[in-house]
Each structure stands twice: as C-alpha cells, then as structure tokens.
Amino acid sequence: MILVTGGTGYIGSHTVVELLNEGFDVAIIDNLSNSNIRVLEGITAITGKKPLFEQFDLCDASLLNNFFKNNRVDAVIHFAAYKAVGESVASPLTYYHNNLVSLMNLLYAMSSYNVPALVFSSSCTVYGEPDSLPVTELAPIKTATSPYGNTKQICEEIIHDSIKAHPKLKSIALRYFNPIGAHESALIGELPIGVPNNLVPFITQTAFGLRDCLKVFGNDYDTPDGTCIRDYINVTDLAKAHIAALKRMQKSENESGFEVFNLGTGMGSSVLEVINSFEKTTSVRLNYIFADRRSGDVVKVYASTDKANKILGWKAEKSLDETLLSAWKWENFYRKSIAN
Ligand code: UFG
C-alpha cells in the first residue's frame, strides 16, 4: 500500500487519483486542516475506487506509529504541510513545528517499519531568484525568504541526512514550480480557504464574481511586459510525476539514495500572459488593475526539465490554455455543488 499524507489536499488528491488509476492500493492520512472530506467523493467518482482514509495529525507520533503497525506500507508520498508564504512569516513557529515534526515522525516510523521509499513535496522556492534560467537542479540553494521556504530546504536536508545514516531508505524530492488547474473531470481541484493568495484561484474567483478585481502585483519589472514570470504546471501532469518517482525507487534505479527533480513545463509565462490565455480560452473578460509589487516576489523563474524528462521519463503535456480552462470548469462545478 502507498501512504499519501495530505491526500485530500490539492496536489495530494490529484496524485491519489493517478495512483488508483495505476492500480496501487492507497491510504490517505490527512488532518483536514486545509482540505475537505468531500474530496474523497470526488476521488471515488473519478476512479470508482475508495482509498483508505484516516484523519489525524502527523505531529502525533503515537497515532502515526499505530498506523504503520496496523498497515503494510510499501512507500510514502508526503504532501501534508502548511504552504502559505505570508502566513509563515506571521507564524513561523507554527510552520517550523508542523512541517518539520510531521516529517521527522514519518521518518522515524518508516525506519521502525522498514519502509524503503519516500517521495517528498518540495518547491522551486528553494532556488529563490535564480542566477540563470532555466533553473536546473544544480543551481545553488538560496537563503529562504520565508519560514515556509525554509521548511522545504530544511526538510530536504533532514531527508538527505537520514538517508546517509540509513542507506536502505531512498527518497526523491520533487521541486514544484507553480501547480495550477484541476482534474479534467472537474470533480476535484484547488480549494483555497478564504481569499486566495495564488494567481489562478484569484483569477477564477474574480471571473466567477466572488472578487471585484484581480490586482496584478507590479507591471514595472524587468520582463518583456513588466509582470513577473513563472512556470505554471498542470496539476495532473504534476501528479503523474509522483508515480514515475515511486516506480523509479521501487525498481531501485536511484542508486544515490536521494535525488531531486524539477517539475515544471520549462516555459515561463508572465501574469499578463496568464490573464490573456484565461480570457481567450474561457471567453470571459477579467476585471484587473495594476497594483504595487508584492513584497518577496521573485521576478522570473522557470524550470529546466531535462533531468525529469530523461531520468523519470516524465514530461508535462497539457498546455496553459487547457489547464486554465480546467481551473475555470472546476470553479463553476464547485460553486454549483456547494450551492446545492
Ligand atoms: N499575482 C498577482 N496577483 C494575485 C496573485 C498573484 O499578480 O492576486 C502574481 C504574483 O505577484 C506572481 C504570480 O502572480 O508574480 C504568481 O503568484 P502565486 O502567488 O500564484 O505564486 P508564487 O510564485 O508567488 O508562489 C508559488 C507557491 C509558493 C511557492 C512559490 C515558489 O504558491 O508556495 O511558488 O516560488 F513558495
């Protein structure tokens, strides 16, 4: 069985779908702190299968150990973590406690029960503002600009050190660029609580009429149209990379024990390009204004995907247009479903 922590969250739920479609047995542990139990219905509607689900906090080591005692876990995909940059600046200890203790509890349990493989959710935030583009996995790790980013760096180090001490354990850290979109069925997608921080949920909520206006944070950057550039990757494409990583470890292809891979499309898009693509693909006009820069924003970042393409045999397939359309379909489906 594959244990997916945070499996009712945004990327976790899409990965659970891909795992079930590939025939894996899946168990989810999630404390539902930033997700909804109804996600399980979406997963089952898409796949016709029901993953095992347990609701508890990974910071509770005794509950976690019991889980490993009672279930045969073959590998772990670890998504469960806090992920809001601004919130992490306001509550650093909450972030360090949650993101580090949950990982350490998992690693202890995996070593006690001889579970050999861990896929870890990391982020391109570890590169900060890169010196050259596209950014490769060999780019230097920059001082983190937020406690959230720092937890990703520290977690990678904790895993790396643990592997050196326990060579039977293998791990792949996947550094996500900007995951967006929803499952093509529109039965699962991103569910931000409150006002979204991220661009695409803000766009879909504005288009739906829940927000008056999208603020484009800065149009005087040193980029062709003055707005920031990111590598927006479809969430289902991203989910599939986790299966590739899992299979690589199960076939013991990763001799080095700890590997990192960038997950992006290899293509940078500006905020204005995203807005234009959204308007074109959905035929919905978006109300937006230019506003001040957001503090802490990187100007330009997009991935070199060569390593993931060659070694994982994985490549992002979906276009920005179709991914934004999937986000829009999800926003509509979700709003109708909660209205009923
Ligand atoms: N943006 C706007 N208006 C908004 C929201 C975002 O103009 O209302 C802009 C941002 O300024 C940025 C771009 O849209 O230029 C993307 O912003 P997001 O908040 O969607 O994504 P970020 O790249 O800032 O952050 C994402 C993840 C973080 C992760 C980071 C790594 O959300 O968890 O990538 O670089 F740390």
Side-chain angles (χ1 to χ4, degrees):
M1 152 190 298
I2 310 300
L3 169 60
V4 181
T5 73
T8 53
Y10 174 42
I11 304 169
S13 58
H14 289 78
T15 303
V16 168
V17 164
E18 298 307 316
L19 285 166
L20 292 170
N21 284 343
E22 288 268 329
F24 288 100
D25 278 338
V26 177
I28 294 173
I29 299 176
D30 201 308
N31 66 359
L32 300 179
S33 65
N34 192 22
S35 61
N36 192 307
I37 191 73
R38 286 177 65 185
V39 169
L40 290 177
E41 292 165 23
I43 291 172
T44 303
I46 295 167
T47 62
K49 296 176 189 166
K50 218 174 177 171
L52 177 69
F53 175 78
E54 291 210 11
Q55 183 183 349
F56 66 87
D57 196 321
L58 298 174
C59 292
D60 189 326
S62 73
L63 287 179
L64 188 60
N65 278 310
N66 269 338
F67 180 88
F68 277 81
K69 198 164 119 195
N70 298 330
N71 295 280
R72 204 195 114 81
V73 178
D74 299 306
V76 178
I77 307 183
H78 180 43
F79 293 103
Y82 292 158
K83 60 171 187 175
V85 175
E87 193 179 65
S88 80
V89 175
S91 308
L93 293 181
T94 310
Y95 269 66
Y96 286 117
H97 182 265
N98 185 63
N99 292 4
L100 303 187
V101 172
S102 56
L103 173 70
M104 289 189 286
N105 285 347
L106 253 184
L107 288 168
Y108 272 125
M110 288 175 70
S111 116
S112 304
Y113 291 91
N114 295 313
V115 179
L118 172 69
V119 180
F120 177 68
S121 253
S122 190
S123 165
C124 71
T125 191
V126 301
Y127 300 121
E129 185 79 58
D131 301 325
S132 62
L133 290 168
V135 62
T136 73
E137 291 82 352
L138 296 173
I141 300 296
K142 297 279 176 68
T143 305
T145 52
S146 72
Y148 158 75
N150 207 15
T151 67
K152 291 296 173 191
Q153 294 186 5
I154 297 170
C155 283
E156 284 195 11
E157 285 171 12
I158 290 174
I159 295 169
H160 201 175
D161 287 343
S162 303
I163 284 169
K164 283 188 230 156
H166 303 282
K168 278 189 191 153
L169 175 66
K170 292 192 185 306
S171 177
I172 291 181
L174 299 174
R175 292 177 178 162
Y176 311 150
F177 281 65
N178 287 56
I180 60 164
H183 191 264
E184 59 186 5
S185 65
L187 292 168
I188 55 171
E190 194 168 4
L191 277 176
I193 293 177
V195 182
N197 294 309
N198 296 117
L199 180 64
V200 171
F202 207 104
I203 287 178
T204 55
Q205 290 196 8
T206 306
F208 197 81
L210 296 172
R211 316 262 158 225
D212 288 341
C213 182
L214 167 76
K215 283 185 183 149
V216 175
F217 296 137
N219 65 339
D220 55 355
Y221 284 104
D222 182 17
T223 60
D225 65 21
T227 65
C228 290
I229 291 177
R230 297 286 183 278
D231 186 337
Y232 295 94
I233 162 95
N234 179 284
V235 67
T236 293
D237 280 346
L238 190 81
K240 288 180 178 164
H242 295 74
I243 294 42
L246 198 65
K247 287 185 175 169
R248 177 168 170 79
M249 286 189 286
Q250 288 186 329
K251 284 191 254 161
S252 296
E253 287 170 341
N254 61 332
E255 295 295 321
S256 74
F258 180 66
E259 291 180 315
V260 297
F261 292 95
N262 287 344
L263 297 183
T265 64
M267 201 186 72
S269 304
S270 71
V271 177
L272 280 179
E273 283 170 334
V274 173
I275 293 171
N276 291 338
S277 166
F278 179 84
E279 290 187 328
K280 185 184 77 185
T281 193
T282 63
S283 306
V284 177
R285 294 283 301 167
L286 194 70
N287 194 20
Y288 68 89
I289 52 164
F290 293 116
D292 288 346
R293 293 180 176 194
R294 182 171 70 176
S295 113
D297 265 344
V298 164
V299 183
K300 242 189 284 185
V301 64
Y302 51 92
S304 161
T305 60
D306 290 353
K307 190 176 175 193
N309 297 163
K310 280 190 202 124
I311 298 180
L312 290 181
W314 168 90
K315 201 171 181 345
E317 284 167 1
K318 294 188 191 290
S319 69
L320 182 62
D321 284 357
E322 67 182 307
T323 302
L324 289 168
L325 186 59
S326 73
W328 179 232
K329 284 187 180 157
W330 160 246
E331 187 72 59
N332 283 278
F333 170 84
Y334 175 67
R335 295 296 152 200
K336 278 179 204 132
S337 76
I338 55 173
N340 292 329

